[in-house]
Amino acid sequence: TRKPMTCPAGMTRNKLQALNWLAQRYRIEIVTARDPITDSWTKEWLDKNRIAYDSYSNIKEGNKHNVDFDLDVLVDDYLGNIESFLENSDAQAILFSQPWNQQRENVETFLKDGRLQIAESWSDVRRLIPAMIKRK
């Protein structure tokens, strides 16, 4: 069964290949909390860049752990979303490493128990997702 996951935007060829590979095997849910005025631009960009996804949702406000999806894996670059999601679910997450998320003390427990993995690239995400789904 295909299960949803979320991912941040910002694509290169490598990212596009990894996401397309994932989209052929899993359900892709793009969930954002950006200003809703950007939704049409974001969807246009996704379509223009041929980013495969199953649904797009703007939660307008709140946290991604509050979404009504049965998520197996959340892919995000914001530690606040990762921490809230893991604290409020039994799912797993991938933190997309960025300069702004290097202070990881609050998620150390999740890293140790294997519910949180760190990705440096979309190739890492592509490699990690199948193992995480199998682990569940």
Side-chain angles (χ1 to χ4, degrees), residues 37-56:
I37 198 167
T38 66
D39 286 345
S40 62
W41 304 327
T42 302
K43 289 178 187 177
E44 183 179 312
W45 184 90
L46 290 165
D47 292 342
K48 177 182 173 189
N49 289 282
R50 292 185 237 126
I51 308 300
Y53 63 96
D54 293 287
S55 97
Y56 177 96

Side-chain angles (χ1 to χ4, degrees), residues 26-95:
Y26 306 103
R27 183 169 171 79
I28 306 287
E29 298 282 347
I30 297 177
V31 180
T32 186
R34 293 179 182 161
D35 186 328
I37 198 167
T38 66
D39 286 345
S40 62
W41 304 327
T42 302
K43 289 178 187 177
E44 183 179 312
W45 184 90
L46 290 165
D47 292 342
K48 177 182 173 189
N49 289 282
R50 292 185 237 126
I51 308 300
Y53 63 96
D54 293 287
S55 97
Y56 177 96
S57 300
N58 190 323
I59 58 174
K60 295 171 185 63
E61 59 184 54
N63 295 311
K64 292 184 181 176
H65 73 266
N66 291 328
V67 297
D68 291 330
F69 305 118
D70 180 21
L71 302 176
D72 284 333
V73 179
L74 171 70
V75 180
D76 208 313
D77 63 356
Y78 178 57
L79 273 169
N81 287 337
I82 295 284
E83 185 177 5
S84 294
F85 179 76
L86 292 173
E87 286 176 351
N88 292 285
S89 75
D90 62 351
Q92 302 173 81
I94 296 173
L95 176 65

